[in-house]
Amino acid sequence: MSRHSLYFDLLDAFGEPGCALCRLATRSAARFLDVLSYENVNDYEVREWLRQARGFCTVHAWQWVDDVRDGLGTAIIYRDILHAVQADTRTIAGLFSGLPAMPAAMAAQRLGARLGRWLRHPLAELAHTIAGGPPAPPATTPPARFLLPAGVCPACHALQQSERIYLETLLEHVHEREFHERYAASVGLCLPHLLRALAQARGRTCEALVEPVGAQWDRVVQKAMAGAAADLSAALALRVLAGERGLTARSVLPWQQHYAAWRLVETDGEPSDACMVVQEAAGADPLDVACPICHAALEGLAHYLDHLLAELHRAGLRYAPASALARSGTGSLGEEPAHAVVSSQEGTDPSAPLPQADADEWVSARGLCALHAWSLVQRLSEAGEDTALAGRLAAPVLAALRRWLRDTLRTVQGRPDGRVLARALAPETPCPACRARALAESRATLALVTRLNTDGRADAADAAGRPGSGAILCLGHLALALEVAWRQGARAAARRIIAQQQRFYGVLEWHLSEYIRKQDDRFRDEPRGIEQRAPWVALQLIASARAVR
């Protein structure tokens, strides 16, 4: 059987911590961003792709900021996208002018009390997707059709292509002796990539893929529990469940796509006070803006993560040194992993750091998605906590998965079918952090449209729309707000939102043009001003705040 560079890439990746497929796929995405920055920013086909995709997804947009740091390329790309968005908002404004007007009180009542009637239930869509059905179609109202991406993020495409070819190589060689030994000695694949591999594996390939999983998970949990503070190995169990940093929901997690998409979820009908629509001017800087719905979404996420940390403190967990382990794991599929975590409070159970309801939610969701797993690790680090706490949260989930895998294998006659195993291990519910973020986001959107549609003061729109007011919606949340306004006939709210956005788009486009002009050597002696921030403001306006998606 032929062996090529992909084969040896996988062998090398098995020797590194974490999932080999994650490492290689995210490396491919990073290389794509580098090549784009150096060679393809002005390529016509690439620009058209970026225009249709509305730039990069949130994850890769901020990876572009952190790793590439190409201000000129960012300005060129996002000024082009801003042109397209301006044209589309003008079209949407014309569509709203043809909507029948609705009294403000009636619109507010329908927004608050009847929101769930026109929204699909996310768990119903989730069950349909896990059962093998296609993902739910995106929102189809005119605001969403015009504003949201019509194509896939180019960096996501590069990541998906890399995942596909490396996964095919893995399945082709996993039953070979040398390759299987290296694979078995590694920490294995993360759960998302393991599920993808199992869905395609049959016969001896499936058998070779599954055979070392129990021992791999034993080693992961043991290493995570004995990990030193500030060591990424301390969060290894969470990484095995969620995947590596840079893995996107659209890449390998079809059950997360509902919350990754720009759409609302059902709320309890109560608007949120976290979204302040009409704000006083934030200052003289016209680029000093932020999306209030992004802020509310991140507040909802932070509240959930803080809840997890509070429950861990309530459990009174502390970490014993590795020498204090009562026993070590043997690596067999049927045994429980060893724990390096003990309780500092008498009578508490170190194996149950969360209340039963939260623990059940974690097990059914298989922990957190990659984005929020890494957000949890970062939050632990910022709070001065041992990042091994993240591994402690993941340990019961891995233990449950090991039991389910063992029980499923016992019922299989002959060689296992990967599709059966994948269904047994697949998440039953979405990431709880995604759900908390989506709920806060939906409540804030409801509050924004309600307030703008019921506030009849003519000068309020002018006050909210002044450059520097600080309240400008990112593109995804603009689509959500106009989605609500369209479905509910809230024409007054839509007019005010669109007018506010268009005024700011004009200001931002001028500053982007100034930034690009001053990169020319002929104008290098001109003083630099606030236009130096314009590329990053434009990126955040289109892609949303960091960690929102």
Side-chain angles (χ1 to χ4, degrees), residues 21-295:
L21 290 182
C22 283
R23 177 176 296 275
L24 295 170
T26 53
R27 185 184 69 180
S28 296
R31 287 177 175 175
F32 171 84
L33 294 176
D34 281 335
V35 171
L36 174 62
S37 172
Y38 281 106
E39 302 177 11
N40 294 326
V41 167
N42 287 316
D43 182 273
Y44 177 80
E45 293 183 356
V46 172
R47 290 273 290 279
E48 176 61 26
W49 188 356
L50 286 163
R51 194 180 304 117
Q52 292 296 320
R54 299 304 196 208
F56 305 112
C57 68
T58 308
V59 170
H60 288 126
W62 288 101
Q63 185 177 344
W64 170 274
V65 172
D66 295 336
D67 297 346
V68 179
R69 301 186 183 91
D70 181 5
L72 179 58
T74 305
I76 292 172
I77 290 170
Y78 282 93
R79 186 180 66 167
D80 192 27
I81 297 169
L82 192 61
H83 277 305
V85 171
Q86 286 178 293
D88 290 338
T89 54
R90 287 193 292 269
T91 302
I92 294 170
L95 293 173
F96 271 104
S97 66
L99 281 179
M102 178 180 292
M106 184 182 299
Q109 180 182 3
R110 289 181 64 182
L111 284 168
R114 302 177 62 189
L115 183 63
R117 296 187 59 180
W118 53 265
L119 293 174
R120 300 183 183 93
H121 196 288
L123 296 186
E125 293 189 14
L126 177 72
H128 179 66
T129 301
I130 292 177
T140 56
T141 59
R145 284 203 304 268
F146 281 104
L147 290 177
L148 293 180
V152 66
C153 161
C156 284
H157 178 75
L159 186 146
Q160 292 165 2
Q161 291 296 100
S162 177
E163 284 174 337
R164 181 183 60 80
I165 60 175
Y166 280 114
L167 181 57
E168 290 173 355
T169 304
L170 172 69
L171 295 176
E172 180 183 358
H173 296 282
V174 69
H175 56 272
E176 298 175 14
R177 180 176 177 180
E178 179 187 4
F179 193 94
H180 186 266
E181 288 176 352
R182 296 283 287 273
Y183 164 66
S186 73
V187 299
L189 303 180
C190 66
L191 180 62
H193 281 127
L194 178 62
L195 293 178
R196 276 193 66 181
L198 287 173
Q200 301 178 40
R202 304 289 185 275
R204 64 171 184 165
T205 298
C206 180
E207 195 172 20
L209 189 67
V210 170
E211 184 270 329
V213 168
Q216 289 169 338
W217 285 350
D218 278 350
R219 291 196 301 271
V220 166
V221 172
Q222 182 178 357
K223 185 175 182 180
M225 294 310 170
D231 185 348
L232 283 181
S233 67
L236 191 57
L238 196 66
R239 295 163 66 190
V240 167
L241 281 178
E244 295 297 316
R245 191 191 303 271
L247 200 64
T248 61
R250 291 175 181 83
S251 169
V252 294
L253 304 175
W255 53 87
Q256 296 290 358
Q257 288 187 2
H258 176 85
Y259 289 122
W262 291 103
R263 63 178 70 175
L264 298 172
V265 298
E266 289 191 23
T267 72
D268 54 11
E270 294 296 326
S272 169
D273 291 331
C275 175
M276 300 303 297
V277 177
V278 179
Q279 301 183 5
E280 295 299 326
D285 187 347
L287 299 184
D288 185 14
V289 298
C291 173
I293 302 180
C294 281
H295 175 76

Side-chain angles (χ1 to χ4, degrees), residues 62 289-291 294 474-475 535-546:
W62 288 101
V289 298
C291 173
C294 281
C474 68
L475 187 63
W536 319 117
V537 173
L539 180 143
Q540 182 166 335
L541 181 71
I542 301 299
S544 300
R546 190 189 298 268

Side-chain angles (χ1 to χ4, degrees), residues 20 76 122 149 205 317 348 426 523:
I76 292 172
T205 298
L317 296 180
T348 58
F523 310 110

Side-chain angles (χ1 to χ4, degrees), residues 166-495:
Y166 280 114
L167 181 57
E168 290 173 355
T169 304
L170 172 69
L171 295 176
E172 180 183 358
H173 296 282
V174 69
H175 56 272
E176 298 175 14
R177 180 176 177 180
E178 179 187 4
F179 193 94
H180 186 266
E181 288 176 352
R182 296 283 287 273
Y183 164 66
S186 73
V187 299
L189 303 180
C190 66
L191 180 62
H193 281 127
L194 178 62
L195 293 178
R196 276 193 66 181
L198 287 173
Q200 301 178 40
R202 304 289 185 275
R204 64 171 184 165
T205 298
C206 180
E207 195 172 20
L209 189 67
V210 170
E211 184 270 329
V213 168
Q216 289 169 338
W217 285 350
D218 278 350
R219 291 196 301 271
V220 166
V221 172
Q222 182 178 357
K223 185 175 182 180
M225 294 310 170
D231 185 348
L232 283 181
S233 67
L236 191 57
L238 196 66
R239 295 163 66 190
V240 167
L241 281 178
E244 295 297 316
R245 191 191 303 271
L247 200 64
T248 61
R250 291 175 181 83
S251 169
V252 294
L253 304 175
W255 53 87
Q256 296 290 358
Q257 288 187 2
H258 176 85
Y259 289 122
W262 291 103
R263 63 178 70 175
L264 298 172
V265 298
E266 289 191 23
T267 72
D268 54 11
E270 294 296 326
S272 169
D273 291 331
C275 175
M276 300 303 297
V277 177
V278 179
Q279 301 183 5
E280 295 299 326
D285 187 347
L287 299 184
D288 185 14
V289 298
C291 173
I293 302 180
C294 281
H295 175 76
L298 293 175
E299 285 291 315
L301 172 61
H303 178 77
Y304 175 77
L305 297 180
D306 288 342
H307 164 72
L308 290 180
L309 296 182
E311 292 297 339
L312 289 172
H313 283 295
R314 179 199 58 78
L317 296 180
R318 63 181 177 84
Y319 284 79
S323 59
L325 289 175
R327 59 187 175 89
S328 60
T330 63
S332 64
L333 188 61
E335 295 188 7
E336 296 299 320
H339 298 300
V341 179
V342 298
S343 175
S344 60
Q345 296 178 2
E346 186 176 356
T348 58
D349 180 7
S351 66
L354 294 177
Q356 189 62 43
D358 288 321
D360 291 345
E361 183 179 45
W362 261 66
V363 171
S364 64
R366 312 298 187 254
L368 303 178
C369 67
L371 174 65
H372 294 131
W374 285 97
S375 296
L376 176 61
V377 171
Q378 181 179 354
R379 201 160 187 84
L380 284 166
S381 179
E382 291 172 351
E385 300 282 356
D386 192 337
T387 53
L389 286 170
R392 185 70 205 96
L393 286 169
V397 183
L398 279 178
L401 289 176
R402 292 169 65 255
R403 289 194 297 271
W404 293 337
L405 181 61
R406 178 194 59 203
D407 294 342
T408 304
L409 288 173
R410 285 175 177 172
T411 64
V412 173
Q413 300 296 328
R415 284 178 169 165
D417 185 337
R419 291 171 297 183
V420 174
L421 298 178
R423 283 195 293 270
L425 298 178
E428 301 166 12
T429 57
C431 164
C434 285
R435 186 160 50 194
R437 187 264 307 151
L439 184 61
E441 184 178 65
S442 298
R443 287 173 173 169
T445 305
L446 173 62
L448 183 146
V449 176
T450 302
R451 292 182 183 180
L452 284 181
N453 205 56
T454 56
D455 186 355
R457 295 174 298 169
D459 59 344
D462 297 332
R466 288 198 309 267
S469 67
I472 297 295
L473 300 182
C474 68
L475 187 63
H477 290 136
L478 173 62
L480 286 185
L482 295 180
E483 173 102 352
V484 173
W486 178 268
R487 291 182 182 270
Q488 301 302 322
R491 194 163 63 184
R495 282 200 305 264

